[in-house]
Amino acid sequence: MKIAVLTSGGDAPGMNAGVRAVVRSGNLYGHEVYGIKDGYMGLVEDNMILLTHQSVSGMLTKGGTFLGTSRLPEFKELSVRKNAVKNLKDRGIDALIVIGGDGTYRGGMELAKMGLKIIGVPGTIDNDIPGTDFTIGFNTAVETIVDAIDKLRDTSSSHQRVSIIEVMGRSSGDLAVYAGICGGAEFIITPENPMNKEDMIDKIKKYKNEGRRHAIVVITEKILDVHQLAEEITEKSGFSSRATVLGYIQRGGAPSPDDRILASRMGTYAVELLNDDIYGVCVGIRDSRMVHLPFANIIGQKRPKNELYSLVKKVS
Ligand code: ADP
């Protein structure tokens, strides 16, 4: 077979390890593997290269995505996708593995409807894809956030401050919950676990009266203005407060060992599904096992609330 692979949407540590696994296992099974540059853009522009064992050497440990990624809103248009399908067909490429998040999956499903053999691999730090317990990049991002929380605690404790840390996650609070628990946050605010601001400020006042020297608040992006919240806490609680928006730093860095393993397993599994003539599906990990589900069962579905959410109130 000729198999193409691309990375698309938000980059995530471990995407390279996933591409490497597709190339190495693909070659092992006798397939040719092509890397498409810059996500769906390279597909439309016919910008792809043959990847060999050697071309992915050293990629296991590298953050970002060496193939590049992009956002291409025009890919929602049928005429643009037709061009992409033609480019693959002209090269005799039989199948395409897309590594990315929800939007990438939507693009993949549209291509599957047009007759291409597509496999989706979940690559996003947000851990917001249904059908998998974990996505590639999530574990590394949690490590990055925990490192930041640990550092912010040192300084907030010295200055007797409430530190507010805004993390990514879009509509998923998993980054905030995992990192918040690991970092011993007093408050973890997520779309799934909203918090009454007045209650929180009352609790912070109580902490001050008890003689505590600091508190950590971890909050998912886009819930409220964290700098305004810091001002309000400073005005009302007796603690001074500062907000830190971690931003794109959460996307960077070498993938953690867990993400290297996850990406290696998922990339290999995607190729093995194609070997078995299975496509139109997305790869996932459930209870430590590789699984796959059709695109239609994943796109637009809700992820079940992670059981760690119930731990938040008990340990914070
Ligand atoms: P992510 O994959 O990280 O969620 P995006 O939401 O930006 O990132 O999606 C990546 C790309 O997938 C988009 O830039 C676009 O090219 C493509 N895409 C997203 N939604 C659709 C759709 N409904 N139909 C076709 N392509 C889509």
Side-chain angles (χ1 to χ4, degrees), residues 76-141:
K76 291 179 186 164
E77 292 163 26
L78 182 63
S79 57
V80 175
R81 290 199 305 275
K82 272 189 179 157
N83 213 12
V85 172
K86 182 177 180 306
N87 287 336
L88 285 181
K89 293 228 159 121
D90 285 352
R91 286 173 178 263
I93 293 174
D94 312 285
L96 170 65
I97 296 171
V98 299
I99 307 178
D102 177 72
T104 301
Y105 274 20
R106 286 176 195 271
M109 186 164 81
E110 294 304 325
L111 290 173
K113 284 186 201 157
M114 295 167 77
L116 286 180
K117 297 181 178 178
I118 309 285
I119 305 271
V121 172
T124 162
I125 63 164
D126 296 331
N127 213 35
D128 60 350
I129 303 287
T132 187
D133 294 341
F134 296 107
T135 56
I136 296 169
F138 172 70
N139 183 270
T140 307

Coordinates of all heavy atoms in Angstrom, one line a residue, residues 76-141:
K76 N -13.4 23.0 4.4 CA -14.8 22.7 4.5 C -15.6 22.7 3.2 O -16.7 22.2 3.1 CB -15.5 23.6 5.5 CG -15.0 23.4 6.9 CD -15.6 24.4 7.9 CE -15.0 24.2 9.3 NZ -15.2 25.3 10.2
E77 N -14.9 23.3 2.2 CA -15.6 23.4 0.9 C -15.3 22.2 0.1 O -14.1 21.7 0.0 CB -15.1 24.6 0.1 CG -15.5 25.9 0.8 CD -14.7 27.1 0.3 OE1 -14.2 27.1 -0.8 OE2 -14.6 28.1 1.1
L78 N -16.4 21.6 -0.5 CA -16.2 20.4 -1.3 C -15.2 20.5 -2.4 O -14.4 19.6 -2.7 CB -17.6 20.0 -1.9 CG -17.7 18.7 -2.6 CD1 -17.3 17.5 -1.8 CD2 -19.1 18.5 -3.2
S79 N -15.2 21.7 -3.1 CA -14.3 21.8 -4.3 C -12.9 21.7 -3.8 O -12.0 21.2 -4.6 CB -14.6 23.2 -5.0 OG -14.4 24.2 -4.0
V80 N -12.6 22.3 -2.7 CA -11.2 22.2 -2.2 C -10.8 20.8 -1.8 O -9.7 20.3 -2.1 CB -11.1 23.1 -0.9 CG1 -9.7 23.0 -0.3 CG2 -11.3 24.6 -1.3
R81 N -11.7 20.1 -1.2 CA -11.4 18.7 -0.8 C -11.3 17.8 -2.1 O -10.5 16.9 -2.1 CB -12.5 18.1 0.1 CG -12.5 18.8 1.5 CD -13.3 17.9 2.5 NE -14.6 17.6 2.1 CZ -15.7 18.5 2.3 NH1 -15.5 19.6 2.9 NH2 -16.9 18.1 1.9
K82 N -12.1 18.1 -3.1 CA -12.0 17.3 -4.3 C -10.6 17.4 -4.9 O -10.0 16.4 -5.3 CB -13.0 17.9 -5.4 CG -14.3 17.2 -5.3 CD -15.2 17.7 -6.5 CE -16.6 17.0 -6.4 NZ -17.6 17.8 -7.2
N83 N -10.0 18.6 -4.8 CA -8.6 18.7 -5.2 C -7.6 17.9 -4.4 O -6.7 17.2 -5.0 CB -8.2 20.2 -5.0 CG -7.3 20.7 -6.1 OD1 -7.1 20.0 -7.1 ND2 -6.7 21.9 -5.8
A84 N -7.9 17.8 -3.1 CA -7.1 17.0 -2.2 C -7.2 15.5 -2.6 O -6.2 14.8 -2.7 CB -7.5 17.2 -0.8
V85 N -8.4 15.1 -2.8 CA -8.6 13.7 -3.1 C -7.9 13.3 -4.5 O -7.2 12.3 -4.6 CB -10.1 13.4 -3.2 CG1 -10.4 11.9 -3.7 CG2 -10.8 13.5 -1.8
K86 N -8.0 14.3 -5.4 CA -7.4 14.0 -6.7 C -5.9 13.9 -6.6 O -5.2 13.0 -7.2 CB -7.7 15.2 -7.7 CG -7.2 15.0 -9.1 CD -7.6 16.2 -10.0 CE -7.0 16.0 -11.4 NZ -5.6 15.8 -11.5
N87 N -5.3 14.8 -5.7 CA -3.8 14.7 -5.6 C -3.4 13.4 -5.0 O -2.4 12.8 -5.5 CB -3.4 15.8 -4.6 CG -3.4 17.2 -5.3 OD1 -3.4 17.3 -6.5 ND2 -3.6 18.2 -4.5
L88 N -4.1 12.8 -4.1 CA -3.8 11.5 -3.5 C -3.9 10.4 -4.6 O -3.1 9.6 -4.8 CB -4.6 11.2 -2.3 CG -4.3 11.9 -1.0 CD1 -5.2 11.5 0.1 CD2 -2.8 11.7 -0.6
K89 N -5.1 10.5 -5.3 CA -5.4 9.4 -6.3 C -4.3 9.5 -7.4 O -3.9 8.4 -7.8 CB -6.8 9.6 -6.8 CG -7.9 9.4 -5.8 CD -9.0 8.5 -6.2 CE -9.7 7.8 -5.1 NZ -11.1 8.1 -5.0
D90 N -3.9 10.7 -7.8 CA -2.9 10.8 -8.9 C -1.6 10.1 -8.5 O -0.8 9.6 -9.3 CB -2.6 12.3 -9.2 CG -3.8 12.9 -10.1 OD1 -4.7 12.1 -10.5 OD2 -3.8 14.1 -10.3
R91 N -1.3 10.2 -7.2 CA -0.1 9.5 -6.7 C -0.2 8.1 -6.4 O 0.7 7.4 -5.9 CB 0.4 10.3 -5.5 CG 1.1 11.6 -5.8 CD 1.3 12.3 -4.5 NE 2.0 13.6 -4.6 CZ 3.3 13.8 -4.5 NH1 4.1 12.8 -4.3 NH2 3.8 15.0 -4.6
G92 N -1.4 7.6 -6.5 CA -1.7 6.2 -6.2 C -1.7 5.9 -4.7 O -1.4 4.7 -4.3
I93 N -2.0 6.9 -3.9 CA -2.0 6.7 -2.5 C -3.3 6.2 -2.1 O -4.4 6.7 -2.4 CB -1.6 8.0 -1.7 CG1 -0.2 8.4 -2.1 CG2 -1.8 7.9 -0.2 CD1 0.3 9.7 -1.5
D94 N -3.3 5.1 -1.3 CA -4.5 4.4 -1.0 C -5.2 4.8 0.3 O -6.4 4.7 0.4 CB -4.2 2.9 -0.8 CG -3.3 2.3 -1.9 OD1 -3.9 2.1 -3.0 OD2 -2.1 2.1 -1.6
A95 N -4.4 5.3 1.2 CA -4.9 5.5 2.6 C -4.3 6.7 3.2 O -3.1 7.1 2.9 CB -4.7 4.3 3.4
L96 N -5.0 7.4 4.1 CA -4.5 8.6 4.8 C -4.7 8.5 6.3 O -5.8 8.2 6.7 CB -5.2 9.8 4.2 CG -4.9 11.1 4.9 CD1 -3.5 11.6 4.8 CD2 -5.9 12.2 4.3
I97 N -3.6 8.7 7.0 CA -3.8 8.7 8.5 C -3.7 10.2 8.9 O -2.7 10.9 8.6 CB -2.6 7.9 9.1 CG1 -2.8 6.4 8.7 CG2 -2.7 8.0 10.7 CD1 -1.7 5.5 9.1
V98 N -4.7 10.7 9.6 CA -4.7 12.1 10.1 C -4.5 12.1 11.6 O -5.2 11.5 12.3 CB -6.0 12.8 9.6 CG1 -6.1 12.9 8.1 CG2 -7.2 12.2 10.3
I99 N -3.5 12.9 12.0 CA -3.2 13.0 13.4 C -3.6 14.4 13.8 O -3.1 15.4 13.3 CB -1.7 12.8 13.7 CG1 -1.3 11.4 13.2 CG2 -1.5 12.8 15.3 CD1 0.2 11.1 13.4
G100 N -4.6 14.5 14.7 CA -5.0 15.9 15.2 C -6.2 15.8 16.1 O -6.5 14.8 16.7
G101 N -6.9 16.9 16.2 CA -8.0 17.0 17.1 C -9.4 16.9 16.4 O -9.5 16.4 15.3
D102 N -10.3 17.5 17.1 CA -11.7 17.4 16.6 C -11.9 17.9 15.2 O -12.6 17.3 14.4 CB -12.6 18.2 17.6 CG -14.0 18.3 17.2 OD1 -14.7 17.2 17.3 OD2 -14.5 19.4 16.7
G103 N -11.3 19.1 14.9 CA -11.5 19.7 13.5 C -10.8 18.8 12.5 O -11.4 18.5 11.4
T104 N -9.7 18.3 12.8 CA -9.0 17.4 11.9 C -9.8 16.1 11.6 O -9.9 15.6 10.5 CB -7.6 16.9 12.6 OG1 -6.9 18.1 12.8 CG2 -6.9 16.0 11.7
Y105 N -10.5 15.6 12.7 CA -11.4 14.5 12.5 C -12.6 14.8 11.6 O -13.0 14.0 10.8 CB -11.9 14.0 13.9 CG -11.0 13.1 14.6 CD1 -9.7 13.0 14.3 CD2 -11.5 12.3 15.6 CE1 -8.8 12.1 15.0 CE2 -10.7 11.4 16.3 CZ -9.4 11.3 16.0 OH -8.6 10.4 16.7
R106 N -13.1 16.0 11.7 CA -14.2 16.4 10.9 C -13.8 16.4 9.4 O -14.5 15.9 8.5 CB -14.7 17.8 11.3 CG -15.5 17.7 12.6 CD -16.0 19.1 13.0 NE -16.4 19.0 14.4 CZ -17.7 18.8 14.8 NH1 -18.6 18.6 13.9 NH2 -18.0 18.7 16.1
G107 N -12.6 17.0 9.2 CA -12.0 16.9 7.8 C -11.8 15.5 7.3 O -12.1 15.2 6.2
G108 N -11.3 14.7 8.2 CA -11.1 13.2 7.9 C -12.4 12.5 7.5 O -12.4 11.8 6.6
M109 N -13.4 12.8 8.3 CA -14.7 12.2 8.0 C -15.2 12.6 6.6 O -15.8 11.8 5.9 CB -15.7 12.5 9.1 CG -17.0 11.7 8.9 SD -18.1 11.6 10.3 CE -18.9 13.1 10.2
E110 N -15.1 13.9 6.3 CA -15.5 14.3 5.0 C -14.7 13.6 3.9 O -15.3 13.2 2.9 CB -15.4 15.9 4.9 CG -16.2 16.7 5.8 CD -17.7 16.3 5.6 OE1 -18.2 16.1 4.5 OE2 -18.4 16.4 6.7
L111 N -13.4 13.4 4.1 CA -12.6 12.7 3.1 C -13.1 11.2 3.0 O -13.1 10.7 1.9 CB -11.1 12.8 3.4 CG -10.5 14.2 3.3 CD1 -9.1 14.2 3.9 CD2 -10.5 14.6 1.8
A112 N -13.4 10.7 4.1 CA -13.9 9.3 4.1 C -15.1 9.1 3.3 O -15.3 8.2 2.5 CB -14.1 8.8 5.5
K113 N -16.0 10.1 3.4 CA -17.3 10.1 2.6 C -17.0 10.2 1.1 O -17.8 9.8 0.3 CB -18.1 11.3 3.0 CG -18.8 11.2 4.4 CD -19.8 12.4 4.5 CE -20.1 12.6 6.0 NZ -20.5 14.0 6.2
M114 N -15.8 10.7 0.8 CA -15.5 10.9 -0.6 C -14.7 9.7 -1.1 O -14.1 9.7 -2.2 CB -14.7 12.2 -0.8 CG -15.5 13.4 -0.5 SD -14.5 14.9 -0.3 CE -14.2 15.3 -2.1
G115 N -14.6 8.6 -0.3 CA -14.1 7.3 -0.8 C -12.6 7.1 -0.4 O -12.1 6.1 -0.9
L116 N -12.0 7.9 0.4 CA -10.7 7.7 0.8 C -10.7 6.8 2.0 O -11.6 6.8 2.9 CB -9.9 8.9 1.1 CG -9.5 9.8 0.0 CD1 -8.8 11.1 0.5 CD2 -8.5 9.1 -1.0
K117 N -9.6 6.0 2.2 CA -9.4 5.2 3.4 C -8.8 6.0 4.5 O -7.6 6.3 4.4 CB -8.6 3.9 3.1 CG -9.2 3.0 2.1 CD -8.3 1.8 1.8 CE -9.0 0.9 0.8 NZ -8.2 -0.3 0.5
I118 N -9.5 6.4 5.4 CA -9.0 7.4 6.4 C -8.9 6.7 7.8 O -9.9 6.0 8.2 CB -9.9 8.6 6.6 CG1 -10.1 9.3 5.2 CG2 -9.2 9.6 7.5 CD1 -9.0 10.0 4.6
I119 N -7.8 7.0 8.5 CA -7.8 6.6 10.0 C -7.5 7.9 10.7 O -6.5 8.6 10.4 CB -6.6 5.6 10.2 CG1 -6.7 4.3 9.3 CG2 -6.6 5.2 11.7 CD1 -7.6 3.2 9.9
G120 N -8.2 8.1 11.8 CA -7.9 9.2 12.7 C -7.1 8.8 13.9 O -7.3 7.7 14.5
V121 N -6.1 9.6 14.2 CA -5.3 9.4 15.5 C -5.4 10.6 16.3 O -5.1 11.7 15.8 CB -3.8 9.1 15.1 CG1 -2.9 9.0 16.3 CG2 -3.7 7.8 14.3
P122 N -5.8 10.5 17.6 CA -6.0 11.7 18.4 C -4.7 12.4 18.9 O -4.0 11.8 19.7 CB -6.8 11.1 19.6 CG -6.4 9.7 19.7 CD -6.0 9.2 18.3
G123 N -4.4 13.5 18.3 CA -3.3 14.3 18.7 C -3.7 15.7 19.1 O -4.0 16.5 18.3
T124 N -3.8 15.9 20.4 CA -4.1 17.2 21.0 C -3.8 17.2 22.4 O -4.1 16.2 23.1 CB -5.6 17.6 20.7 OG1 -6.0 18.7 21.6 CG2 -6.6 16.4 21.0
I125 N -3.3 18.4 22.9 CA -3.0 18.4 24.4 C -4.3 18.5 25.2 O -4.3 18.2 26.4 CB -2.1 19.6 24.8 CG1 -2.8 20.9 24.5 CG2 -0.8 19.5 24.1 CD1 -2.1 22.1 25.2
D126 N -5.5 18.8 24.6 CA -6.7 19.1 25.3 C -7.4 17.9 25.9 O -8.2 18.0 26.8 CB -7.7 19.9 24.5 CG -7.1 21.2 24.1 OD1 -6.3 21.8 24.8 OD2 -7.5 21.7 23.0
N127 N -7.1 16.7 25.4 CA -7.7 15.4 25.8 C -9.3 15.6 25.7 O -10.0 15.1 26.6 CB -7.4 15.1 27.3 CG -7.3 13.6 27.5 OD1 -6.9 12.8 26.6 ND2 -7.7 13.1 28.7
D128 N -9.7 16.1 24.6 CA -11.1 16.4 24.4 C -11.8 15.5 23.3 O -12.8 15.9 22.8 CB -11.3 17.9 24.1 CG -10.6 18.4 22.9 OD1 -9.8 17.6 22.3 OD2 -10.9 19.5 22.4
I129 N -11.1 14.4 23.0 CA -11.7 13.6 21.9 C -12.4 12.4 22.5 O -11.8 11.6 23.3 CB -10.5 13.1 21.0 CG1 -9.7 14.2 20.5 CG2 -11.0 12.2 19.9 CD1 -10.4 15.0 19.4
P130 N -13.7 12.2 22.2 CA -14.4 11.0 22.7 C -13.8 9.7 22.1 O -13.1 9.8 21.1 CB -15.8 11.2 22.1 CG -15.9 12.6 21.7 CD -14.5 13.0 21.3
G131 N -14.0 8.6 22.7 CA -13.5 7.3 22.2 C -12.1 7.0 22.6 O -11.5 6.0 22.1
T132 N -11.5 7.8 23.4 CA -10.2 7.5 23.9 C -10.0 8.0 25.3 O -10.5 9.1 25.6 CB -9.1 8.1 22.9 OG1 -7.8 7.6 23.4 CG2 -9.0 9.6 22.9
D133 N -9.3 7.3 26.1 CA -9.0 7.8 27.5 C -8.0 9.0 27.4 O -8.1 9.9 28.2 CB -8.5 6.7 28.4 CG -9.5 5.6 28.6 OD1 -10.7 5.9 28.4 OD2 -9.1 4.5 29.0
F134 N -7.1 8.9 26.5 CA -6.0 9.9 26.4 C -5.7 10.2 25.0 O -5.8 9.3 24.1 CB -4.8 9.4 27.1 CG -5.0 9.2 28.6 CD1 -5.0 8.0 29.2 CD2 -5.1 10.3 29.4 CE1 -5.2 7.8 30.5 CE2 -5.3 10.2 30.8 CZ -5.4 8.9 31.4
T135 N -5.3 11.4 24.8 CA -4.8 11.9 23.4 C -3.3 12.1 23.5 O -2.8 12.4 24.6 CB -5.5 13.2 23.0 OG1 -5.3 14.2 24.0 CG2 -7.0 13.0 22.9
I136 N -2.7 12.0 22.3 CA -1.2 12.2 22.3 C -1.0 13.7 22.6 O -1.6 14.6 22.0 CB -0.7 11.9 20.9 CG1 -0.9 10.4 20.6 CG2 0.7 12.3 20.7 CD1 -0.7 10.0 19.1
G137 N -0.1 13.9 23.6 CA 0.3 15.3 23.9 C -0.2 15.7 25.3 O 0.3 16.6 25.9
F138 N -1.3 15.1 25.7 CA -2.0 15.5 27.0 C -1.0 15.3 28.2 O -0.8 16.2 29.0 CB -3.2 14.7 27.2 CG -3.9 14.9 28.5 CD1 -4.5 16.1 28.9 CD2 -3.9 13.9 29.5 CE1 -5.1 16.3 30.1 CE2 -4.5 14.0 30.7 CZ -5.1 15.2 31.0
N139 N -0.4 14.1 28.2 CA 0.5 13.8 29.4 C 1.6 14.8 29.5 O 2.0 15.3 30.6 CB 1.0 12.4 29.2 CG 1.8 11.9 30.4 OD1 3.0 12.1 30.4 ND2 1.2 11.4 31.4
T140 N 2.2 15.2 28.3 CA 3.3 16.1 28.3 C 2.9 17.5 28.8 O 3.5 18.2 29.6 CB 3.9 16.2 26.9 OG1 4.2 14.9 26.5 CG2 5.2 17.1 26.9
A141 N 1.7 17.9 28.3 CA 1.2 19.2 28.7 C 0.9 19.2 30.2 O 1.1 20.3 30.9 CB -0.1 19.5 27.9

